[in-house]
Amino acid sequence: MSLSFPTMAAIRFGYGFRPGEAPPDSKDELIGQLRKGAAATPDFPLGGPDMRHQAILSLQAQLQQIRQDAKTVTDDTTQREMRKGVQRQAQQQFQHDANLRLMQAVLSPYGFYERLATFWTDHFSTSANKSLPMRLIVPLYEAEAIRPFISGKFGDLLRSATAHPAMLIYLDQADSLGPDSAGGIKRNKGLNENLGRELLELHTLGAGSGYTQADVTAAAMVLTGLTIDRKEMDIAFRPSISEPGAHEVLGVSYGGRGRRRSRDDYLDMLDDLALHPKTAAHISRKLAVHFIADQPDEGMVSDMAEAWKKTDGDLTAVYTAMLDHPAAWRDEGAKARQPFDYVVTGLRALNAGPVNGVVGSFLAANQQGTDEGDMAANTPGMAGSPVPTDPAGEAREKRLKAFRTARALGQGALRRMGQPTWLPPSPAGFEEGFSAWITGSQLAERLAWARRAAAQFGRDEDPREFLKSTLADAARDETIRVVSQAPNKISGLTLVLASPEFNRR
């Protein structure tokens, strides 16, 4: 290992260094973050899961009322304004949640857990752009279907992610009916294979693992009946739309045997897929690619897959096998930081001060508002006092400028860099490869972000000390020289945040 353990642990397996926060100094400490992270309540969705479930039902009721009114109300302008108001409210809630998600990663001392939460949310990708209710559902999905399960059995995580309204809506499972089911015949609707296909190709076995189109169709047949209760906005199993008979996936038969189809059929299939050797190999490799290198050491991947098989998919055992392999601790800088990783790590590096620090306090106080300057109070659950809105003169302009700065350094930056929160381009999630993120346009955006972040938060920082605290022994001699010769503090800090070392892990 060419770098010290704490440096590699912080940079490769976490979100970098934060001033005053000690990095992990052992593998046991890294693994220990899983239990602590799972025990901590996420800062999102706004108001907590129970309140969010109620908000989703309220949104559904509003949309239903608008649809009902459209049958009798002739004033199109009134209808448009009503719908715009509902859309605006849902979008504001989504943006608030996205801000909270970013701050969760910045402020959490459990970087390894946070990185894994990001990995698994991307692995089981859903998009808030699918529909208006998804603006409220997707943040809840990460909080209740992903985070609590990332240190346990993969089978439990697979069940939780697959049978969640976010996944069923995103992959159109709610529109999938068994062609020969009573409901399918009555409604003259048939099978949608989206969830069956992505379940095999992305979530478990992996592309090219030997399954066939017949397996995809059969998996989709087994999944029929799993749908959404639109009234309660929760999952439901309806035998009346479930394709009758037995369906064979990878040589295993599900259903049939003279009984009525039930949720046990799809749950048995998920459990079998979770334990399949191809699933162990596919996801072990994907984890190694995410954390270590685009072309990971084959011995490490094999050790991880073997740990999977020995423990029936215990994810903590798989992570431990990864950390125990020598390849996990060499060849630093092999991975490009994705935009979310880069922005979070940069904000953490600049986040000096107690509790939430200068970055956390600023973003918490200025993270919600409109271009008209109507700012909300500070974020619940974060330090900082509410700042009253003053619509007049300099105070209003100052508030508006602060809001725009917070947005530019957070969600705005992520959109410009190509990794907006909870908005992946496809069910496959965001790109992992080095070449996807280290490009001329990407580096230009990162340089602009570094300059603005340094100017906002780093005016009291000595660039040479900042370099030591941010990169430690990962700093190259050339970077040390360039930073030491910077003409002023802001330029020096910008050079650190834009350095090759800071863009890699």
Side-chain angles (χ1 to χ4, degrees), residues 196-228:
R197 179 178 299 105
E198 308 307 359
L199 175 64
L200 301 186
E201 179 179 332
L202 300 176
H203 301 164
T204 58
L205 306 173
S209 58
Y211 67 86
T212 66
Q213 175 58 39
D215 290 316
V216 171
T217 300
M221 290 290 194
V222 176
L223 288 164
T224 55
L226 176 60
T227 189
I228 295 286

Side-chain angles (χ1 to χ4, degrees), residues 31-209:
I31 292 297
Q33 290 185 8
L34 304 181
R35 176 181 52 80
K36 295 176 181 177
T41 302
D43 290 329
F44 62 91
L46 181 65
D50 290 343
M51 186 177 292
R52 176 51 50 88
H53 281 288
Q54 291 303 312
I56 293 167
L57 293 177
S58 175
L59 175 59
Q60 281 293 99
Q62 289 176 288
L63 293 174
Q64 179 65 23
Q65 187 62 53
I66 290 172
R67 286 191 290 268
Q68 289 292 332
D69 291 346
K71 298 176 182 178
T72 56
V73 177
T74 58
D75 188 343
D76 290 343
T77 302
T78 301
Q79 280 287 299
R80 281 197 301 271
E81 290 304 312
M82 287 175 61
R83 187 164 187 86
K84 282 183 180 178
V86 173
Q87 291 172 334
R88 188 181 306 114
Q89 184 180 34
Q91 182 62 20
Q92 287 175 348
Q93 284 183 284
F94 174 71
Q95 287 300 324
H96 204 157
D97 284 339
N99 292 334
L100 291 172
R101 173 66 181 88
L102 177 66
M103 291 310 300
Q104 172 87 28
V106 171
L107 296 178
S108 174
Y110 312 126
F112 187 41
Y113 175 83
E114 290 297 325
R115 285 281 306 282
L116 285 166
T118 301
F119 170 85
W120 286 113
T121 301
D122 188 70
H123 179 77
F124 292 107
S125 276
T126 61
S127 174
N129 272 347
K130 180 71 175 183
S131 67
L132 193 61
M134 286 285 274
R135 303 286 204 284
L136 305 189
I137 295 170
V138 170
L140 179 66
Y141 167 71
E142 179 179 339
E144 71 178 7
I146 302 295
R147 285 177 168 260
F149 299 95
I150 61 178
S151 60
K153 298 280 189 179
F154 176 73
D156 294 334
L157 174 59
L158 180 62
R159 282 186 171 205
S160 178
T162 302
H164 190 277
M167 186 65 73
L168 303 187
I169 294 170
Y170 181 53
L171 294 180
D172 303 309
Q173 179 63 24
D175 298 323
S176 184
L177 284 69
D180 294 324
S181 67
I185 294 171
K186 180 179 180 180
R187 295 164 60 182
N188 195 29
K189 290 185 68 175
L191 193 66
N192 186 303
E193 294 186 354
N194 287 355
L195 181 56
R197 179 178 299 105
E198 308 307 359
L199 175 64
L200 301 186
E201 179 179 332
L202 300 176
H203 301 164
T204 58
L205 306 173
S209 58

Side-chain angles (χ1 to χ4, degrees), residues 163-291:
H164 190 277
M167 186 65 73
L168 303 187
I169 294 170
Y170 181 53
L171 294 180
D172 303 309
Q173 179 63 24
D175 298 323
S176 184
L177 284 69
D180 294 324
S181 67
I185 294 171
K186 180 179 180 180
R187 295 164 60 182
N188 195 29
K189 290 185 68 175
L191 193 66
N192 186 303
E193 294 186 354
N194 287 355
L195 181 56
R197 179 178 299 105
E198 308 307 359
L199 175 64
L200 301 186
E201 179 179 332
L202 300 176
H203 301 164
T204 58
L205 306 173
S209 58
Y211 67 86
T212 66
Q213 175 58 39
D215 290 316
V216 171
T217 300
M221 290 290 194
V222 176
L223 288 164
T224 55
L226 176 60
T227 189
I228 295 286
D229 182 331
R230 297 288 184 181
K231 184 177 180 181
E232 297 296 328
M233 285 307 290
D234 203 352
I235 66 166
F237 187 84
R238 298 200 169 112
S240 63
I241 62 171
S242 185
E243 184 70 4
H247 308 284
E248 192 171 289
V249 181
L250 301 173
V252 180
S253 182
Y254 301 95
R257 298 184 291 276
R259 64 172 176 78
R260 194 183 192 197
R261 289 286 311 280
S262 74
R263 67 177 67 236
D264 289 341
D265 297 326
Y266 80 78
L267 291 175
D268 287 346
M269 180 179 70
L270 293 180
D271 290 346
D272 288 343
L273 289 170
L275 297 177
H276 198 285
K278 293 293 181 66
T279 299
H282 169 58
I283 298 180
S284 293
R285 175 175 295 279
K286 190 172 180 180
L287 278 162
V289 167
H290 178 75
F291 281 100

